[in-house]
Amino acid sequence: MNRFIITFSILLYAIAVPFLEINDTHVFNPDWTPHVRIHEVWQLMTNSGMGLFCLWLVWVKKDVKNSAIVSMLVTGGFLLAYILKDFYGGSMKYLDGSEKTLFGINIGILGFGIAFLLLLVTIITNKVLKQ
């Protein structure tokens, strides 16, 4: 079960996020400066690369713990960026004021929040089982 939880979180940050962001709201947004775009593409490529590495760790090397930790860095990094958004002027809303939500909760917070908690449980139970 732990490997499937990790795989779920990887699919979110390595596949779903690029799918949602390689369009005119993010990467090809005409209001974004070229400098902002390069950071966005860099972040997408880095997270997808780490996702591939984590898939290799968990399915080939059977290293649940390290794959979960790296995945928590990605998902937790997003959650921390969200928490700090007022400090740096960030927002999950688009320029037109809309926001992607599910059950009234931003999809990024919902998806990465669930993934982060499941990864945390995976690490805790994996550690407990190894004692």
Side-chain angles (χ1 to χ4, degrees), residues 22-42:
I22 299 175
N23 59 46
D24 61 349
T25 65
H26 287 74
V27 173
F28 299 110
N29 188 329
D31 294 321
W32 284 20
T33 66
H35 185 82
V36 171
R37 289 182 193 173
I38 201 161
H39 280 281
E40 170 70 4
V41 172
W42 172 26

Side-chain angles (χ1 to χ4, degrees), residues 11 13-14 25 30 32 36 47 89 100 102 105 116 123:
L11 292 174
Y13 71 78
T25 65
W32 284 20
V36 171
N47 287 354
K100 289 187 191 298
L102 186 61
I105 303 169
F116 186 85
I123 289 173

Side-chain angles (χ1 to χ4, degrees), residues 4-90:
F4 291 105
I5 288 170
I6 294 169
T7 301
F8 166 74
S9 72
I10 293 167
L11 292 174
L12 286 180
Y13 71 78
I15 304 293
V17 170
F19 178 78
L20 292 170
E21 294 187 2
I22 299 175
N23 59 46
D24 61 349
T25 65
H26 287 74
V27 173
F28 299 110
N29 188 329
D31 294 321
W32 284 20
T33 66
H35 185 82
V36 171
R37 289 182 193 173
I38 201 161
H39 280 281
E40 170 70 4
V41 172
W42 172 26
Q43 171 257 315
L44 292 172
M45 294 176 79
T46 300
N47 287 354
S48 294
M50 289 193 311
L52 288 173
F53 176 66
C54 286
L55 285 173
W56 175 78
L57 278 177
V58 77
W59 290 102
V60 176
K61 298 303 261 179
K62 310 292 189 236
D63 185 349
V64 169
K65 180 181 160 189
N66 286 315
S67 183
I69 289 170
V70 171
S71 293
M72 283 182 73
L73 290 171
V74 175
T75 57
F78 172 82
L79 295 171
L80 186 57
Y82 183 82
I83 290 167
L84 297 173
K85 69 184 182 340
D86 292 336
F87 175 72
Y88 63 89

